[in-house]
Amino acid sequence: MDPKDVRNGDVNKVTQPNKAMDGLESFLSALESNNPPEWDALPDLGLYMDQVINYLERQIGLLFPPNREGAITSSMINNYVKANVIPRARSKKYGQEHIALLLAAFVLKKALTTQDMSVLLTKGTDSAIDDPYRSFYEHYRSTLLECGKTVAQEMRASLEEEPFGGDSLRPLALKLAVEASIRSLAAEMLLTLLEPVAHSKA
């Protein structure tokens, strides 16, 4: 590169797309390799708030865009407790069921309101299910694995058709956003039907 280009700031035009592509590749790799811990691998000794945040960040931090503040905070966890998304901590310690529900909540918050999450994550009373928290988490885990790989494959296929850049990213982002919105609306409709049942079991 000509030194004059560096002085004129043209180096940014080269490095910025490279950084963006690296960031996208990291995200796609995270989707493809994302392997949420199985229920028996979740911490069951009881974690304090700082330990919970650290654990959640290590498990799902790569799924969030970089430089976005407040992806996982203690105030958000406390709000989830107040909204009955997760049970209250026991002696300020969070157990296996807390961790499982929080892993799901911090992913689902992109698509659902806190109220909708409280309906979805409400502990069921179906006598046929020995451990409703475990049952919910295992279903969530398998769904996340399947969806992550499917979305990553779709994005890679779309990006292979056109060179990396705004012209290819904008339509793909729109398609994903519209699909997410429609699916979110569908989920909200189902949860509206479930809400009276959830409240009757509370």
Side-chain angles (χ1 to χ4, degrees):
M1 179 179 294
D2 193 311
K4 289 186 296 183
D5 293 336
V6 177
R7 288 196 299 271
N8 293 334
D10 288 345
V11 66
N12 291 331
K13 297 178 182 178
V14 176
T15 58
Q16 286 177 354
N18 290 339
K19 288 181 179 179
M21 188 61 188
D22 289 344
L24 179 57
E25 179 57 38
S26 296
F27 173 73
L28 293 176
S29 296
L31 284 181
E32 292 169 330
S33 63
N34 182 42
N35 188 23
E38 296 182 5
W39 173 266
D40 290 334
L42 295 173
D44 61 355
L45 299 177
L47 303 180
Y48 290 105
M49 179 67 80
D50 289 347
Q51 295 172 310
V52 170
I53 293 174
N54 182 267
Y55 181 81
L56 295 177
E57 287 178 341
R58 284 189 285 113
Q59 293 299 327
I60 59 177
L62 290 176
L63 298 179
F64 295 95
N67 302 322
R68 294 287 179 91
E69 294 182 4
I72 300 172
T73 65
S74 58
S75 61
M76 292 184 71
I77 292 175
N78 289 329
N79 286 339
Y80 287 151
V81 173
K82 293 176 184 176
N84 296 317
V85 172
I86 66 170
R88 292 192 175 277
R90 295 183 291 272
S91 301
K92 297 184 178 181
K93 288 186 176 182
Y94 296 82
Q96 207 167 18
E97 72 276 14
H98 297 100
I99 303 300
L101 294 177
L102 285 170
L103 283 170
F106 276 101
V107 173
L108 294 172
K109 74 185 182 73
K110 299 295 292 184
L112 298 177
T113 65
T114 301
Q115 180 179 350
D116 284 336
M117 281 196 289
S118 70
V119 175
L120 181 62
L121 276 62
T122 294
K123 183 178 180 180
T125 58
D126 188 343
S127 58
I129 301 177
D130 294 332
D131 191 338
Y133 287 132
R134 179 172 187 154
S135 176
F136 166 82
Y137 179 74
E138 289 178 345
H139 187 67
Y140 158 79
R141 181 178 180 273
S142 64
T143 304
L144 183 63
L145 282 167
E146 178 184 351
C147 289
K149 288 180 172 57
T150 299
V151 170
Q153 291 171 0
E154 180 183 348
M155 291 180 70
R156 287 192 186 282
S158 296
L159 292 171
E160 286 175 0
E161 294 177 1
E162 297 182 40
F164 179 82
D167 291 340
S168 62
L169 296 184
R170 192 169 287 109
L172 178 56
L174 175 62
K175 179 178 183 294
L176 291 170
V178 170
E179 288 179 352
S181 295
I182 295 300
R183 290 177 181 275
S184 178
L185 289 170
E188 288 175 8
M189 177 58 68
L190 294 176
L191 292 172
T192 299
L193 301 176
L194 286 172
E195 190 169 9
V197 177
H199 286 316
S200 68
K201 293 180 178 181

